[in-house]
Amino acid sequence: RMLDMPWEVQPAHQAVMVYPRWTGAGRTLDMDRLYALGIDAFRVAREIALHPGADIQVDGVPGRLSIGFGNGPARFERVQPAAVYNGGVFTLVPAGR
């Protein structure tokens, strides 16, 4: 069992399918993850600019992101799906298991 980004374990997820896959030379799993994080960095920055001070939730490519701007410093939370990797294939673990 492992936790990983929907970008890696859920390629058919609605939030993932809308973005092109990077297929350039030198592509590695680490670079693929960095690319996914960049997608959501842009999305989060846009939401913060459009809704200053409001709490934000983004169903993102590296996981579900929640950002809270209540009392004190901002709170960031990322929840990733659990998966089992077997025989070169990811299988999602149902929530709560």
Side-chain angles (χ1 to χ4, degrees):
R1 291 184 184 226
M2 60 184 284
L3 298 176
D4 207 341
M5 299 177 169
W7 186 259
E8 299 298 337
V9 299
Q10 292 179 288
H13 187 282
Q14 181 180 351
V16 173
M17 291 185 339
V18 296
Y19 296 100
R21 290 282 173 167
W22 175 43
T23 58
R27 178 179 174 218
T28 64
L29 190 55
D30 287 340
M31 291 302 290
D32 213 27
R33 287 185 175 117
L34 185 60
Y35 177 74
L37 288 170
I39 290 170
D40 274 4
F42 173 80
R43 293 176 65 206
V44 166
R46 182 183 64 206
E47 288 300 312
I48 290 171
L50 292 173
H51 310 286
D55 291 349
I56 298 167
Q57 292 203 5
V58 176
D59 192 12
V61 298
R64 185 174 310 272
L65 304 170
S66 299
I67 301 117
F69 294 100
N71 297 329
R75 296 174 321 280
F76 291 78
E77 179 181 343
R78 180 175 67 158
V79 177
Q80 297 176 295
V84 174
Y85 184 74
N86 189 10
V89 177
F90 289 109
T91 304
L92 291 179
V93 175
R97 293 182 93 196

